[in-house]
Amino acid sequence: MSLSRFLLLAAALAICAAGCAVAPAPSGPPARPGSQAADSGQQPTLILISLDGFRWDFLEHGVTPTLSRLAAAGVHADRLIPSFPTKTFPNHYTIVTGLRPAEHGLVANNILDPRTGERFSLSNRKAVRDGKWYGGVPIWVTAERAGMRTAPLFWPGSEAEILGIRPSYSLAYDGDMRPDDRVDLVLEWLDLPAPERPSFLTLYFEDVDDGAHRYGPDPSEGLARALGIVDRAVERLVEGLEQRDLSLRVDLLIVSDHGMSATSRSRVIFLEDYVDPEEANVVDWSPILGLWPSPEHADAIYQALAGAHPHLAIYRREEIPDRYQFSGHERIPLIVGISDDGWSVTTRARFNGCPACFDGGEHGYEQSLDSMGALLIAYGPSFRRQTKIGPIENFHLYNVMCAVLGLEPAHNSGDPARVEDFLRSPSQ
Ligand code: AMP
Ligand code: ZN
Ligand code: ZN
């Protein structure tokens, strides 16, 4: 083991020693009857991989040979339909809970809790690690409760104690950690002796999201570079599994959280043309506005914004159309503004202060848009081979993962019947 890998593993174990729940006896549930894992007497193992911002059609850019090979060999969905709002934390947490954002409570990347006045944002390390923001039961909690060990590396929510449980192995999010080091850490976790070895692991790569925000979603050298980075990381993982003779025992579920739309500096809405942003109390900006005006300003703000711009739909939170599936949670802002595909909403000060902004890619828009469609590839011994399926919503995946791991799912919004789209029957 190289020194750097050893240090990473030691750091991960140290974090666990400092903060992880004591893992129960590592007996674990039996493998799913008829599965390859059961046949070989092994515990099933699943690696959930997120390629943030990888739009469903980025495979067609022709620069991701490993992902294309896995898509052709396993189950490949036409696209994964994200949940609204099509942002990172809401959707990652939907995938691991089977609940929509309005059900699990991570209703945006930037949230105000109206009860406490506290704020959540991705850069607020304290909030990201605070279990009170996370509703539902993430799959690593389901698995740890069943006696498995888990290692959800960098998955949103994985740093928090949720329902009194922390994953056996986790690491504080570090966007600078190299993709290869992330892959090697996961492989080292798989090399642990059986009682310590995790059965559920995750990988997270932000490169494509970064690249597509910057260069936009159309084919370009910059986006191709980012796509190449994540493709090589997945290739490194697959090779590492093959070298360890694990490729027949480990399942891979490769997803993204949302797609990406091209933005333009000619498609920008300036909020101060209609209301005073201070009075509107903007908690979340483009392309979805989250407004928490005080009660005395709320009506006037709503009236001033409703119908004011043809590319910005404004709703009181009770009136958000059903198709968004975004109602019923107290953290949904009093007034929500939804920009049309490819539009941005900001202030002139922000716009003029950043000449490179609003001219690349963005996401957050309505989840049914083609541009917001995400990636879904399932590959490994549990999954069907060479199978194309139609578009599927991301909250169905929690049940699929539970089935692969032989876990009893917690309450969730997924349709259990969708599991059959993915799983290989024993005879296949
Ligand atoms: P978004 O623009 O909604 O796709 O957010 C993407 C950004 O989320 C990434 O560039 C990361 O900086 C950030 N992010 C991803 N995972 C985490 C995490 N576990 N903790 C904090 N920030 C994260
Ligand atoms: Zn994202
Ligand atoms: Zn993004």
Side-chain angles (χ1 to χ4, degrees):
M1 185 188 297
S2 72
L3 182 62
S4 66
R5 289 196 214 168
F6 174 78
L7 290 175
L8 281 170
L9 188 58
L13 292 172
I15 284 188
C16 181
C20 295
V22 177
S27 53
R32 191 170 51 84
S35 70
Q36 300 258 335
D39 296 346
S40 59
Q42 300 290 333
Q43 230 179 255
T45 305
L46 174 67
I47 309 177
L48 172 65
I49 304 168
S50 166
L51 313 178
D52 197 316
F54 197 116
R55 199 167 77 181
W56 61 283
D57 60 345
F58 284 175
L59 287 179
E60 292 161 19
H61 291 203
V63 293
T64 53
T66 304
L67 291 168
S68 292
R69 181 167 69 76
L70 298 179
V75 181
H76 179 206
D78 180 52
R79 66 191 143 119
L80 184 63
I81 302 171
S83 300
F84 184 82
T86 50
K87 287 285 185 181
T88 293
F89 261 59
N91 277 281
H92 278 85
Y93 202 63
T94 285
I95 289 166
V96 293
T97 57
L99 298 172
R100 300 175 184 90
E103 296 169 313
H104 61 56
L106 277 181
V107 298
N109 280 349
N110 300 291
I111 309 169
L112 171 75
D113 186 329
R115 275 178 204 256
T116 62
E118 287 173 282
R119 300 273 190 124
F120 177 96
S121 72
L122 307 196
S123 57
N124 180 343
R125 307 296 309 148
K126 187 167 165 281
V128 162
R129 290 176 182 165
D130 188 340
K132 71 168 170 257
W133 291 100
Y134 303 89
V137 187
I139 185 153
W140 59 82
V141 169
T142 313
E144 295 273 351
R145 278 175 169 171
M148 289 181 175
R149 293 194 180 258
T150 66
L153 179 63
F154 293 169
W155 201 270
S158 61
E159 293 177 58
E161 181 179 300
I162 298 172
L163 299 167
I165 291 180
R166 287 179 187 275
S168 294
Y169 309 101
S170 74
L171 215 57
Y173 175 67
D174 173 9
D176 292 331
M177 185 175 177
R178 295 183 330 141
D180 284 1
D181 290 337
R182 300 180 193 197
V183 170
D184 292 352
L185 180 55
V186 158
L187 291 170
E188 281 159 22
W189 276 328
L190 290 174
D191 286 338
L192 287 169
E196 286 144 48
R197 186 176 175 277
S199 302
F200 172 77
L201 308 93
T202 72
L203 275 163
Y204 170 83
F205 302 102
E206 57 284 270
D207 307 78
V208 173
D209 185 65
D210 290 349
H213 276 299
R214 186 158 167 203
Y215 302 105
D218 297 329
S220 69
E221 248 180 60
L223 181 54
R225 243 190 334 269
L227 292 168
I229 289 171
V230 299
D231 196 66
R232 282 190 297 279
V234 175
E235 182 185 27
R236 186 180 183 91
L237 176 69
V238 171
E239 284 177 3
L241 294 173
E242 281 167 0
Q243 281 160 13
R244 288 164 174 77
D245 255 354
L246 282 174
S247 53
L248 294 178
R249 303 212 312 261
V250 175
D251 289 301
L252 306 179
L253 188 62
I254 305 173
V255 298
S256 62
D257 49 350
H258 49 71
M260 194 69 68
S261 222
T263 50
S264 162
R265 286 176 74 84
S266 63
R267 288 195 298 272
V268 175
I269 300 156
F270 295 110
L271 190 63
E272 75 268 31
D273 288 353
Y274 312 102
V275 294
D276 174 353
E278 290 288 316
E279 277 181 9
N281 193 15
V282 188
V283 168
D284 204 11
W285 280 95
S286 195
I288 308 303
L289 279 176
L291 309 182
W292 281 100
S294 61
E296 71 264 28
H297 291 130
D299 266 348
I301 298 271
Y302 174 80
Q303 297 299 346
L305 280 173
H309 194 288
H311 295 289
L312 180 67
I314 295 290
Y315 302 106
R316 297 182 202 271
R317 66 171 168 186
E318 309 76 29
E319 296 164 352
I320 298 173
D322 286 348
R323 67 178 191 276
Y324 291 98
Q325 299 281 292
F326 195 58
S327 67
H329 202 288
E330 63 184 3
R331 293 185 197 143
I332 295 175
L334 290 180
I335 298 173
V336 175
I338 304 178
S339 308
D340 280 355
D341 197 13
W343 281 77
S344 305
V345 51
T346 187
T347 61
R348 281 199 175 70
R350 284 169 181 236
F351 183 81
N352 294 329
C354 182
C357 297
F358 310 105
D359 195 16
E362 190 53 278
H363 53 88
Y365 307 101
E366 182 170 351
Q367 74 273 30
S368 61
L369 292 165
D370 273 2
S371 58
M372 293 299 102
L375 178 73
L376 174 59
I377 299 169
Y379 175 83
S382 300
F383 294 119
R384 291 178 187 269
R385 295 184 188 134
Q386 299 178 4
T387 301
K388 301 279 172 227
I389 62 171
I392 177 168
E393 291 150 309
N394 61 0
F395 54 83
H396 295 298
L397 295 179
Y398 170 80
N399 282 330
V400 175
M401 294 190 286
C402 285
V404 167
L405 291 171
L407 294 169
E408 183 65 37
H411 162 79
N412 72 95
S413 292
D415 175 0
R418 299 307 303 262
V419 171
E420 292 316 310
D421 294 352
F422 290 83
L423 296 194
R424 190 189 292 185
S425 64
S427 57
Q428 276 184 305

